Amino acid sequence: MKSATANEVFSDVYSEEWQADFRKKEELLSSHFEKITPEEYYRQIFGSVESRSKLLLQELEQCKNVNNFKEVEEHLSKHEHVSLYLQSFFKNGLPKTILIDKCFGIVVELDNVRSIRLPELLVKISGMELKPNMLVSSGNGIHLYYLFSEPFDFFSFTSTISMLGYIKREDVFEVVKQVYNKLSDLYVDESIGYKVDRMHLSQPIRMCGSTTKNINFRTVGYRVSDERRSLEEYAELLGVELFDDELAKLIDQYLHKDSDELPEDVIKELEPEAAESTEQSNKFNIFDDINTTFFEFYKDNKSEVRARWLEYAKQLGDEDRPKATTVPVGKRKYPTKEPNYSNYLKTLIKVMYGASIGNRQKLMTIFCSRAAMYRVPEERMKKDARTIRDFWNKTWPKEMFKERELECAFKGRKYWYSNHTIWKQTGVDLSIENKREAKKAVKEEKRSDMQKCAVEFIQANRDCSYSDIAEYLTSSGHRVSESTIKRDAVIKAEKERRPADVNEMSDIK
């Protein structure tokens, strides 16, 4: 039976108990595995310390491209929370799953791994057929790295599958995600007391050598196994079909299309229509040489034929691989805009504290829409939305805002509402002061105060020079130069006013 102590989550990573538990875990892991340096960790993943990679500096919420491990070391020394992408991407900017070029491995993340339960996990790992290559003690949890024998080329694979237009390219990533989920499932064990955290394919991971959530401790890496496999081999061992039945059938049909043994309905399906376009015909003919090469032994070697078909199509895809080029900022047609976190956070606070039981669903949908408008990453938006949800549920424990309502808000974020409509429907004012106009108003107010102060000084000292006015304004807290005073129309008019005009004004008063 599990004890409450073993499953307790440490909320305070600076407590003495948390620190003692982290040291205990380090002792246990060091007794089982060889400790590795961050440099060795980097070399194990990318093959060389001179390889390029991408980092996420979490406290700055910035992605950084680095050319080698030396640059990584500089970021590790300057920043507290550094995460590493095990993927390369086509374009700079925010890394997205659809832009993955190559993937160097898969990381299974285990959260809340206590030292008291760690021996059971180590026994579990030692008895596995599929052992991880590296292990990183990340603070509260453990990260298990399954590194590929060669980087998995997402572009070639997805180009191959998408070449005939059978399925969308995004669907291929779901197939690959099955391999990740199957690896994660190997560690699902309620008796041990930790939690398996599921990640998306482009998510970075806190790297070896970075700080943990307690910035006084750094993550530690260990070597577990040197045996590596390709993603295809992992898929086969885990029972995942990278070519599903429908896709395999279509490939079979193309490889078989000259055979007389095919059923009549399949033959009719493969015969091009009379009105078929030249482009469509070329689409089919691209595999003619594959049919000629492989058909002789196809029937007895289906799996090998499909593998060679994939290899051939990869070569075709490499010719059209997009190149990551850096465009000068001045020549960008559509310049990249950074997320506006300032206005986003103001909206978050207004939504969180302006809600009532009757308007929560509407406000949550509006919050998600505004996050997209302010270009906030989707994972950040969803995390903050759940923070709002938790606050509401504490405020109204009898009227819980449920997960399905949250999912509806995520799906409905494409709808746009004006500030006036939001105020009428929810009573919450989401209008945000324009920063430029606010700065302009402050500047005008300061200028008016400076002019008033200068005019009063001139009236009391008619023989003063512009230099005297500048000195007086400086002593009064107005930072202004003599040349600026000379150009100011109000001050200039008061300075050049003749004594007769002054006396005339006094008589009128």
Side-chain angles (χ1 to χ4, degrees):
M1 181 181 292
K2 296 180 290 183
S3 66
T5 305
N7 295 325
E8 178 188 352
V9 178
F10 289 138
S11 57
D12 182 7
V13 296
Y14 288 92
S15 68
E16 293 183 3
E17 188 181 9
W18 187 95
Q19 297 178 47
D21 192 74
F22 184 82
R23 294 191 188 95
K24 181 64 175 177
K25 283 194 293 187
E26 192 172 353
E27 291 176 10
L28 288 168
L29 291 169
S30 298
S31 64
H32 281 76
F33 306 118
E34 174 191 352
K35 189 180 291 188
I36 58 174
T37 63
E39 181 178 347
E40 178 62 22
Y41 160 90
Y42 193 84
R43 184 186 291 107
Q44 286 288 324
I45 295 173
F46 300 109
S48 168
V49 291
E50 299 301 322
S51 299
R52 301 185 66 184
S53 65
K54 186 182 285 287
L55 303 178
L56 173 65
L57 309 179
Q58 293 184 21
E59 69 265 30
L60 301 180
E61 296 183 339
Q62 292 181 354
C63 292
K64 292 288 186 182
N65 293 315
V66 292
N67 295 311
N68 48 50
F69 179 72
K70 185 177 180 181
E71 293 183 15
V72 175
E73 277 189 311
E74 293 176 3
H75 288 297
L76 287 173
S77 62
K78 293 178 182 177
H79 304 287
E80 293 172 357
H81 306 296
V82 180
S83 294
L84 175 72
Y85 288 92
L86 268 70
Q87 309 84 12
S88 60
F89 300 86
F90 289 132
K91 300 179 181 178
N92 295 329
L94 291 175
K96 299 179 181 178
T97 297
I98 195 64
L99 297 178
I100 296 177
D101 182 12
K102 291 183 173 64
C103 183
F104 294 86
I106 290 174
V107 178
V108 177
E109 183 177 1
L110 308 181
D111 194 23
N112 190 34
V113 181
R114 298 284 305 280
S115 62
I116 193 172
R117 291 298 188 183
L118 184 57
E120 296 178 50
L121 176 61
L122 296 178
V123 170
K124 186 180 184 71
I125 293 174
S126 64
M128 283 183 167
E129 179 184 359
L130 295 177
K131 292 183 175 63
N133 300 106
M134 295 191 302
L135 180 153
V136 173
S137 179
S138 62
N140 281 332
I142 297 291
H143 298 163
L144 302 161
Y145 286 70
Y146 286 86
L147 303 177
F148 300 147
S149 53
E150 57 182 21
F152 180 70
D153 193 325
F154 267 95
F155 177 77
S156 293
F157 186 80
T158 54
S159 293
T160 301
I161 303 305
S162 304
M163 195 172 291
L164 298 177
Y166 296 142
I167 57 176
K168 294 181 179 179
R169 181 166 298 189
E170 297 90 40
D171 296 334
V172 177
F173 290 95
E174 294 303 317
V175 178
V176 178
K177 185 68 179 288
Q178 291 179 36
V179 178
Y180 166 75
N181 284 333
K182 288 282 188 179
L183 274 175
S184 298
D185 289 343
L186 297 177
Y187 292 90
V188 175
D189 190 341
E190 294 182 0
S191 65
I192 295 182
Y194 55 73
K195 181 179 74 172
V196 179
D197 277 349
R198 309 278 176 165
M199 301 188 295
H200 55 77
L201 291 178
S202 60
Q203 184 169 326
I205 194 76
R206 191 184 299 268
M207 72 173 295
C208 175
S210 173
T211 59
T212 64
K213 291 181 179 179
N214 180 331
I215 60 175
N216 299 313
F217 289 82
R218 292 190 175 269
T219 60
V220 187
Y222 302 88
R223 188 197 310 275
V224 180
S225 171
D226 293 326
E227 184 178 2
R228 297 197 185 192
R229 297 176 173 86
S230 65
L231 184 132
E232 290 88 347
E233 289 174 315
Y234 278 117
E236 184 179 354
L237 290 169
L238 294 167
V240 176
E241 288 286 344
L242 293 181
F243 296 101
D244 60 20
D245 293 340
E246 181 180 357
L247 183 58
K249 179 183 176 183
L250 290 167
I251 295 172
D252 291 350
Q253 289 174 358
Y254 274 93
L255 294 172
H256 250 109
K257 73 177 182 180
D258 296 326
S259 173
D260 295 331
E261 298 179 8
L262 284 176
E264 289 186 9
D265 58 335
V266 175
I267 293 174
K268 288 180 180 179
E269 184 181 341
L270 294 174
E271 288 177 353
E273 298 289 340
E276 187 179 31
S277 67
T278 305
E279 182 181 354
Q280 186 68 15
S281 299
N282 291 339
K283 205 177 199 182
F284 292 138
N285 293 337
I286 198 170
F287 293 97
D288 283 350
D289 53 348
I290 301 180
N291 299 337
T292 304
T293 306
F294 297 150
F295 189 71
E296 294 297 326
F297 59 93
Y298 173 69
K299 293 179 183 178
D300 299 327
N301 301 274
K302 286 188 178 182
S303 61
E304 184 180 350
V305 170
R306 291 174 187 164
R308 293 178 68 176
W309 180 89
L310 177 61
E311 182 180 352
Y312 175 80
K314 280 182 180 180
Q315 294 174 6
L316 297 177
D318 284 339
E319 297 174 6
D320 298 324
R321 179 184 295 278
K323 305 297 181 184
T325 57
T326 304
V327 181
V329 175
K331 295 185 178 181
R332 286 180 182 170
K333 187 174 180 181
Y334 302 105
T336 302
K337 293 184 178 179
E338 294 296 324
N340 186 345
Y341 286 112
S342 176
N343 286 354
Y344 167 73
L345 291 174
K346 290 176 184 176
T347 302
L348 187 153
I349 296 299
K350 289 185 177 183
V351 167
M352 180 182 288
Y353 291 100
S356 59
I357 292 178
N359 66 13
R360 290 181 300 175
Q361 183 66 61
K362 176 78 75 174
L363 280 176
M364 185 61 79
T365 302
I366 291 166
F367 168 74
C368 296
S369 300
R370 290 300 171 92
M373 183 183 79
Y374 294 130
R375 298 179 178 82
V376 174
E378 186 174 345
E379 54 265 32
R380 168 73 182 269
M381 176 271 290
K382 289 186 175 181
K383 179 181 177 181
D384 290 341
R386 288 189 165 84
T387 301
I388 295 172
R389 188 268 312 271
D390 294 342
F391 174 80
W392 288 347
N393 289 345
K394 284 184 180 178
T395 307
W396 299 287
K398 294 183 180 180
E399 297 286 343
M400 304 291 279
F401 192 83
K402 299 176 182 176
E403 182 68 24
R404 59 182 175 78
E405 295 174 302
L406 198 60
E407 292 296 332
C408 288
F410 295 157
K411 293 177 183 178
R413 67 178 186 273
K414 59 185 178 181
Y415 299 109
W416 173 253
Y417 301 89
S418 67
N419 289 334
H420 181 67
T421 302
I422 294 169
W423 180 78
K424 285 177 64 177
Q425 295 184 1
T426 67
V428 177
D429 182 11
L430 288 187
S431 58
I432 296 172
E433 185 181 29
N434 186 295
K435 289 183 179 180
R436 184 179 297 176
E437 293 297 327
K439 287 182 179 179
K440 186 177 179 181
V442 171
K443 189 175 180 180
E444 288 296 330
E445 186 179 353
K446 288 182 178 179
R447 186 179 185 85
S448 177
D449 291 343
M450 182 270 292
Q451 290 172 340
K452 184 178 179 181
C453 185
V455 168
E456 290 176 352
F457 179 75
I458 294 170
Q459 290 174 350
N461 303 273
R462 277 291 160 188
D463 297 331
C464 66
S465 65
Y466 282 108
S467 177
D468 295 333
I469 299 171
E471 284 185 27
Y472 177 75
L473 290 176
T474 302
S475 64
S476 301
H478 299 285
R479 294 184 179 181
V480 60
S481 65
E482 185 176 339
S483 59
T484 302
I485 296 171
K486 288 180 179 180
R487 290 195 302 268
D488 190 283
V490 175
I491 297 175
K492 187 176 181 181
E494 183 64 32
K495 181 72 175 68
E496 294 177 355
R497 187 176 294 173
R498 292 173 298 174
D501 297 334
V502 176
N503 294 334
E504 186 177 336
M505 292 294 293
S506 301
D507 295 337
I508 293 173
K509 289 181 180 179

